[in-house]
Amino acid sequence: MSSVHSILRLGVDVGGTNTDAVLLDLSEGSRRGQVLASAKHLTTADVTLGIQNAIESVLTQTQYKSDIQALCIGTTHFVNALVERDPRRLDRVAVIRLCGPFTHGTPPFVGFPHELRDLLEGPHFLLSGGLQIDGSEIASVVVAQVESACDEINRQGIHAVVVSSVFAPIDFEIQQEETVAAIVRKRIQGMDVVCSKDVAAIGLLERENASILNAALLRYAKKTVIGFKKAAQILELKCSVFITSNDGTLLSCAQAARLPIRTFSSGPTNSMRGAAFLAALDSGISKQSALVVDIGGTTTDIGMLLPSGFPRQAAVHHEFCGVLLNFSMPHVTSIGLGGGSIVREDPVTHKVTVGPNSVGHRITSESLVFGGSTLTATDVVVAAGRASNIGDESLVSGIGQSIIEGAQSAIKKMLQNYLDAMKTSSQDIPVYLVGGGSILAPDVLAGISRVHRFPHFDVANAVGAAIAQISGIIDSFEDTSTRTIVQVRADVEARAIAQAIASGADPHHIAIVESEVIPIAYTTGRCRFYVKAAGDWSGVASPSWLEVDDPPRIAGETASRPQMVASAAASAVVAPVMRTASDILEYEPRIKRREWLLSEVDLEWIADGCYVLGCGGGGSPLHTFLELRELVRSGETVRVIDFSSVTSNGLIGWGGGMGSPEVSSERLLGNEYQEASEELWSLIGIVKPEALCAIEIGGANGMINMILGSTKYVNIPCIDGDFMGRAYPTWHQTTVNVYDVSGTGAKMLPSAISSGDGNIMIMTKAKRDIDVDASLRAACVEMGTHVGQASCPLEADYVDNSMIKNTISLSWRIGRAIALARKQSSLSRIGSILVDAVGGSSSAKVLFMGKITDVRRRVYKGHTIGEVIITALTVDDDVDDDPDHPMERFTGTLNIPFKNENLYAEHTTHDAITTVRMVATVPDLIAVLDAQNGSALGTPQYKYGLRVLVLGITAAPQWTGSERGIALGGPSAFGFTHISYKPLGKYTQPRSVIEEYACNS
């Protein structure tokens, strides 16, 4: 082999059990892809030592050490530090958030679990700054504020700071985060500073969370990558050292030291990328979508490989260590199936199950085939004659044929179900098997065109590390008002390519691997563009690869840590812990003088219930819930009353948030609803109303009045009820308007909207009721695309007729039922449990169960419009059916069109003849739930393969009792004039929580 043209890469990947290493020839021509040497070593407690051992084993097998161009390492160092909550490897973090008047109710760390918050939380500062969605400033950075924050951070002995700004990812010109970071570094010498825009994308809280985890690891990351470079020197390697990232691309040591969070999921990514590379070496396989199945000793990871050779990325938000994040991660499903999975046979039903318990790395001593006493999946495969080279076949000869067949059937069903859930369409696609446990997989799987096994499958993860590329990513909002989307996309793609080349990619071997255009609700002339370019490393170090500074020595770093500042994490109000089903059953809400004082538990259940009642729309209540939980933790009170507690001449305020979900996920709530309400109350000459009522119980608006009514703000109770009983897409679709026969929206006006940063508008009169929503939404776009909206307070007698009563109680009961089903492991019965919770079979029913097989959606005039197709499950699809409570079976398909919310459900069966039957329409509620965990799904979350349950609930008589109610909220209101409303059942008024528990208090 000539060393002149040789391009050799050394790839290493650290797994939970083994550390694998390969030497790969990436030279052009026939040698490309040859694995010149490989090694597998047990992962050691000192991960760096295990890496060194694996590399050393490879180097003893080759004489081409001098031809090695790069060492590429996939490591678990940083993710392990967080999983293990190791204070020796984690630092407290201070946060400077640039937000102006917004987001104050959801401060940094608000969504962290207690133990991680206690470990990492430093002081945080909510300062002047931030941008609107159009790139204009909410407020300018005030240098004196930043310098004052720096002095306090320095006083507390903090060594890492996160700077996060509202809409930072689109801030290319003003660069507020960079400005503040420079001030911090100048004010506090040696400070580690993380700008949130460098870590993740749109979604303030999730991006900030990721930045905090990243900052907490910086000191340890520096120490680790320096250790990698020293290990390479010890082994006399003179090549560049890289760390592989979550998306299958390379980080220089300096980049990994700055952004260790980008390595968290590099293991599954390396397996998928390695599988794609090995597949490409097979001349019969072209670039195609494929599922990669990596079966280990304890678990199986399943991911989707795109034709680009890169893994499909996870949903915008995902959870790690109990923290919601939004940085780039591969979409991977892990299931409890591996070579060490324990096989059991039920003595009564004789049903055979496999896993999720496993003997894991003890397989060589505990599995039957190795002389142990535990029946494992590996034993079954050997007994079936499919792996004769493992252990002693004679030791498994006594396994009965029924157990062998039952276990193989269970494995096949498990793989088929999860593979189907990972697909994006019903089309058959291939599977690439990797990992030492891949012998468990059958050769034929339903929905799979072919099962592939390639040479070196057992070290595919190390191959993936060796072939990782250099990338450039652009995620931004762009102006499309004067140029076409095609033209703007081309410019963004060019910027991504330029960024990749600047980072070291070969300009002759680079391509766009992802390019997506995302419309923004309620906004014209602007779109979000996400583009990723990737290419082979040119072999030349990039100027951006700075050397890694030695981490600062912190006196007593293993013992003494800065004192945490007072926060809601150290709450005066201790929430009851719902660890078991018994805890849930024994829990009683606190009722005092017929006022329901909401706890953390109540708020969590109400939030879950509100999302179900949103019927696919209304927006997630998550951020509203977090703000309320923070209020309660800090000792504030949130009260709910029955309508019977309102005085006969009382006034009831109502309203909520209006605008784009893209904005409300980034520019979190400020005081816009409070400002709109108080402006309106002042206009009509009152200080405040007697109580507040939700405009809609569905989604985030179901809880926003609880914030305003809390003791922190206006200190008035919320009535147990609302004016929709669900969510609807427009403001005039309320029961308030149903009872207003004027047709001019008289009971909705005057109405005020506030931007939260100084702009307030009041509408006093309308020609038609539909003009109220249309006019206010047009103004909403000009005011930042999200506003607080308050409508004229209503007299008690009008509310008595128009309000749908006890819907907060209903949401609480739905959330409680979901929590109970999860704790009792009875999610197979979640449908019947929820039917009971909302009033019984006379008023609600499970309309369908199946899997989503098609989704179509588009944004039109600010609303998400589309339809979802759900196909019934076959008997073989159901893995977890409870024999004591068998699931109801369905056939055919269910079609649900939606406009933000689900509009109707049409059932089609294909028996001897095709029949089509309308099973539910608006105003009845149609909710789609994730059948795996009971959570509600918003229409943006609908995706192929999800197992879902469709719940129907009869609407309240405020909608169904008059022609006007049906006209405003029924099918014809959405253009379906050919569909007549037929009630799903008989309405049952939800039971008041206050009535039920008042006597016990």
Side-chain angles (χ1 to χ4, degrees):
M1 178 183 294
S2 170
S3 62
V4 176
H5 300 293
S6 295
I7 300 175
L8 306 186
R9 291 273 184 88
L10 189 54
V12 182
D13 190 81
V14 181
T17 304
N18 293 304
T19 296
D20 300 334
V22 298
L23 183 61
L24 197 64
D25 191 335
L26 293 179
S27 308
E28 295 294 334
S30 59
R31 297 186 319 224
R32 183 173 177 82
Q34 288 184 16
V35 176
L36 304 179
S38 65
K40 190 179 287 284
H41 275 258
L42 287 175
T43 297
T44 54
D46 178 357
V47 179
T48 304
L49 179 61
I51 291 172
Q52 192 169 321
N53 291 338
I55 294 173
E56 202 161 18
S57 290
V58 166
L59 294 179
T60 60
Q61 302 172 48
T62 180
Q63 55 183 317
Y64 302 111
K65 183 188 294 189
S66 61
D67 291 337
I68 296 173
Q69 183 195 51
L71 167 60
C72 308
I73 302 171
T75 180
T76 57
H77 278 77
F78 311 125
V79 71
N80 287 349
L82 279 165
V83 170
E84 295 165 12
R85 310 286 202 269
D86 187 349
R88 297 167 301 174
R89 295 181 282 175
L90 299 170
D91 288 328
R92 289 199 189 282
V93 179
V95 180
I96 297 174
R97 184 191 289 175
L98 309 174
C99 55
F102 299 105
T103 83
H104 288 229
T106 43
F109 300 94
V110 67
F112 277 58
H114 278 298
E115 72 282 0
L116 200 57
R117 188 169 183 175
D118 290 343
L119 190 64
L120 302 182
E121 185 173 16
H124 53 258
F125 308 88
L126 309 181
L127 307 183
S128 176
L131 269 63
Q132 300 282 15
I133 193 171
D134 63 0
S136 63
E137 284 188 313
I138 294 171
S140 299
V141 170
V142 177
V143 174
Q145 289 183 356
V146 179
E147 290 177 340
S148 176
C150 289
D151 293 342
E152 178 60 21
I153 291 167
N154 198 28
R155 187 190 69 78
Q156 291 200 33
I158 301 293
H159 300 277
V161 175
V162 164
V163 180
S164 64
S165 171
V166 174
F167 279 116
I170 66 169
D171 182 9
F172 302 111
E173 297 179 4
I174 303 171
Q175 298 189 329
Q176 288 191 348
E177 285 192 351
E178 293 88 340
T179 298
V180 171
I183 296 170
V184 174
R185 291 190 181 100
K186 181 178 179 181
R187 192 82 172 183
I188 314 173
Q189 296 297 314
M191 176 63 70
D192 281 325
V193 184
V194 174
C195 291
S196 77
K197 67 193 295 184
D198 295 333
V199 176
I202 297 296
L204 175 70
L205 214 54
E206 295 77 16
R207 181 176 72 252
E208 187 177 79
N209 290 347
S211 302
I212 289 168
L213 296 185
N214 188 78
L217 285 162
L218 286 178
R219 182 171 51 87
Y220 176 60
K222 291 178 183 179
K223 185 183 297 185
T224 300
V225 297
I226 287 172
F228 288 162
K229 297 184 78 170
K230 287 181 178 177
Q233 291 171 1
I234 291 170
L235 295 169
E236 299 179 347
L237 290 171
K238 303 186 185 304
C239 59
S240 296
V241 179
F242 294 98
I243 317 298
T244 62
S245 70
N246 301 321
D247 65 356
T249 57
L250 293 170
L251 300 172
S252 68
C253 283
Q255 290 170 327
R258 291 197 305 271
L259 295 166
I261 197 167
R262 290 194 179 173
T263 71
F264 277 16
S265 195
S266 61
T269 300
N270 286 339
S271 291
M272 284 189 271
R273 291 275 294 143
F277 184 81
L278 295 173
L281 296 179
D282 188 321
S283 58
I285 298 178
S286 60
K287 288 187 176 182
Q288 59 185 345
S289 292
L291 289 161
V292 177
V293 180
D294 186 354
I295 307 179
T298 302
T299 60
T300 293
D301 290 335
I302 301 173
M304 171 65 81
L305 197 63
L306 301 174
S308 63
F310 285 85
R312 183 175 73 204
Q313 294 301 290
V316 175
H317 298 159
H318 43 271
E319 198 172 277
F320 176 76
C321 288
V323 181
L324 205 58
L325 309 169
N326 70 340
F327 64 92
S328 179
M329 291 269 279
H331 183 199
V332 176
T333 294
S334 295
I335 59 176
L337 173 66
S341 294
I342 297 173
V343 178
R344 298 182 177 89
E345 182 182 34
D346 189 287
V348 178
T349 65
H350 300 292
K351 181 180 180 180
V352 178
T353 58
V354 180
N357 305 100
S358 172
V359 298
H361 65 274
R362 302 186 305 277
I363 188 171
T364 54
S365 59
E366 295 190 15
S367 190
L368 296 181
V369 76
F370 292 109
S373 58
T374 304
L375 178 60
T376 67
T378 298
D379 296 325
V380 169
V381 174
V382 174
R386 295 179 51 215
S388 57
N389 60 336
I390 296 177
D392 185 346
E393 280 185 271
S394 65
L395 297 177
V396 294
S397 59
I399 301 175
Q401 190 64 27
S402 63
I403 292 180
I404 294 174
E405 292 176 357
Q408 289 185 307
S409 175
I411 291 170
K412 186 174 184 177
K413 283 184 181 180
M414 199 182 309
L415 286 173
Q416 285 179 168
N417 274 301
Y418 283 97
L419 287 169
D420 191 60
M422 289 294 288
K423 290 164 63 178
T424 55
S425 75
S426 57
Q427 182 181 353
D428 288 358
I429 61 173
V431 155
Y432 301 159
L433 286 176
V434 297
S438 58
I439 55 170
L440 302 185
D443 293 326
V444 178
L445 291 162
I448 300 303
S449 59
R450 182 181 169 188
V451 176
H452 294 271
R453 291 177 171 88
F454 305 109
H456 308 294
F457 67 90
D458 57 333
V459 289
N461 50 351
V463 171
I467 63 165
Q469 296 180 310
I470 301 290
S471 70
I473 297 174
I474 302 293
D475 184 353
S476 69
F477 288 83
E478 301 289 334
D479 185 351
T480 57
S481 61
T482 57
R483 294 191 300 161
T484 67
I485 288 177
V486 172
Q487 290 172 323
V488 177
R489 187 205 290 257
D491 283 353
V492 176
E493 289 177 350
R495 280 156 49 195
I497 289 172
Q499 186 183 98
I501 293 171
S503 297
D506 184 344
H508 304 294
H509 295 87
I510 193 167
I512 298 295
V513 294
E514 284 186 64
S515 184
E516 187 176 8
V517 182
I518 307 161
I520 305 168
Y522 307 116
T523 302
T524 58
R526 291 184 72 79
C527 284
R528 180 179 172 187
F529 291 79
Y530 178 87
V531 176
K532 179 165 79 172
D536 294 335
W537 179 42
S538 64
V540 179
S542 165
S544 64
W545 301 352
L546 305 174
E547 287 300 312
V548 183
D549 298 327
D550 286 329
R553 296 293 300 173
I554 300 174
E557 64 183 28
T558 60
S560 175
R561 297 172 58 74
Q563 185 66 37
M564 191 180 95
V565 296
S567 75
S571 173
V573 180
V574 179
V577 180
M578 301 289 110
R579 290 195 176 92
T580 66
S582 295
D583 293 333
I584 294 172
L585 292 168
E586 293 168 5
Y587 174 77
E588 293 190 357
R590 186 180 171 207
I591 313 296
K592 188 175 181 181
R593 293 191 294 275
R594 296 195 63 81
E595 288 188 333
W596 179 8
L597 309 181
L598 300 182
S599 71
E600 275 190 45
V601 173
D602 297 326
L603 291 168
E604 184 174 350
W605 292 351
I606 290 169
D608 284 344
C610 283
Y611 209 16
V612 172
L613 295 174
C615 301
S620 169
L622 174 64
H623 292 150
T624 313
F625 158 71
L626 289 174
E627 182 166 348
L628 283 162
R629 187 178 70 178
E630 198 75 355
L631 287 173
V632 169
R633 283 181 174 179
S634 63
E636 302 291 348
T637 300
V638 180
R639 299 178 288 151
V640 174
I641 59 172
D642 282 339
F643 178 76
S644 59
S645 297
V646 178
T647 61
S648 59
N649 61 348
L651 288 176
I652 289 87
W654 61 296
M658 171 189 283
S660 166
E662 284 85 357
V663 173
S664 56
S665 70
E666 177 70 29
R667 200 195 74 188
L668 307 182
L669 285 177
N671 290 330
E672 54 264 48
Y673 181 43
Q674 179 187 355
E675 290 175 2
S677 298
E678 292 180 342
E679 185 77 14
L680 184 64
W681 300 341
S682 175
L683 176 73
I684 64 173
I686 66 171
V687 176
K688 60 184 177 182
E690 183 176 324
L692 295 169
C693 184
I695 183 172
E696 57 185 341
I697 194 65
N701 272 337
M703 302 181 77
I704 193 171
N705 281 278
M706 297 175 184
I707 298 173
L708 178 58
S710 71
T711 51
K712 181 176 180 180
Y713 296 106
V714 299
N715 191 21
I716 53 178
C718 293
I719 301 176
D720 190 356
D722 77 298
F723 295 117
M724 288 188 190
R726 45 168 301 139
Y728 268 118
T730 58
W731 214 256
H732 61 270
Q733 289 176 301
T734 65
T735 52
V736 170
N737 196 35
V738 170
Y739 281 74
D740 175 11
V741 296
S742 71
T744 62
K747 288 293 184 181
M748 302 159 64
L749 300 172
S751 185
I753 59 174
S754 169
S755 65
D757 65 347
N759 297 313
I760 294 177
M761 190 180 86
I762 296 175
M763 184 174 185
T764 60
K765 192 174 182 179
K767 182 178 179 181
R768 301 172 300 169
D769 53 11
I770 61 174
D771 295 335
V772 178
D773 181 83
S775 301
L776 293 178
R777 282 190 195 277
C780 169
V781 172
E782 295 301 318
M783 294 166 69
T785 324
H786 192 275
V787 296
Q789 193 270 354
S791 289
C792 187
L794 301 165
E795 303 87 353
D797 59 347
Y798 193 87
V799 172
D800 190 15
N801 292 321
S802 61
M803 187 184 74
I804 302 171
K805 296 182 175 66
N806 301 340
T807 51
I808 294 177
S809 291
L810 177 61
S811 63
W812 182 89
R813 294 185 190 282
I814 291 171
R816 180 179 182 270
I818 293 171
L820 191 59
R822 290 169 179 164
K823 293 296 183 184
Q824 291 178 330
S825 300
S826 54
L827 285 168
S828 62
R829 296 191 296 114
I830 186 66
S832 60
I833 291 171
L834 285 172
V835 166
D836 290 341
V838 301
S841 57
S842 64
S843 59
K845 63 177 65 175
V846 176
L847 301 176
F848 204 75
M849 288 189 70
K851 67 182 178 186
I852 295 176
T853 52
D854 194 14
V855 185
R856 306 179 191 119
R857 61 168 67 88
R858 62 192 175 95
V859 173
Y860 178 70
K861 291 187 177 180
H863 301 291
T864 302
I865 295 173
E867 64 178 349
V868 58
I869 308 295
I870 304 167
T871 302
L873 299 173
T874 65
V875 174
D876 285 345
D877 282 326
D878 298 320
V879 179
D880 301 320
D881 205 354
D882 184 348
D884 296 327
H885 302 90
M887 288 188 287
E888 184 179 355
R889 300 288 176 180
F890 294 88
T891 60
T893 60
L894 193 74
N895 176 33
I896 304 176
F898 52 82
K899 179 183 177 182
N900 286 13
E901 289 78 33
N902 303 316
L903 301 179
Y904 67 76
E906 187 176 60
H907 184 207
T908 303
T909 56
H910 304 281
D911 299 323
I913 59 172
T914 298
T915 59
V916 179
R917 183 170 64 93
M918 192 68 62
V919 294
T921 72
V922 286
D924 288 345
L925 286 70
I926 303 167
V928 179
L929 283 73
D930 187 330
Q932 306 294 320
N933 60 26
S935 298
L937 294 173
T939 55
Q941 296 167 301
Y942 295 166
K943 65 177 183 178
Y944 177 89
L946 275 180
R947 264 60 172 173
V948 297
L949 174 149
V950 184
L951 180 69
I953 305 172
T954 306
Q958 282 85 348
W959 287 111
T960 61
S962 68
E963 289 185 6
R964 180 167 170 78
I966 297 300
L968 281 172
S972 61
F974 298 94
F976 303 113
T977 54
H978 62 289
I979 299 175
S980 299
Y981 168 70
K982 294 181 181 178
L984 181 71
K986 183 179 179 182
Y987 178 73
T988 301
Q989 181 169 300
R991 186 180 181 188
S992 161
V993 166
I994 295 172
E995 286 291 340
E996 180 176 355
Y997 291 98
C999 58
N1000 297 341
S1001 299

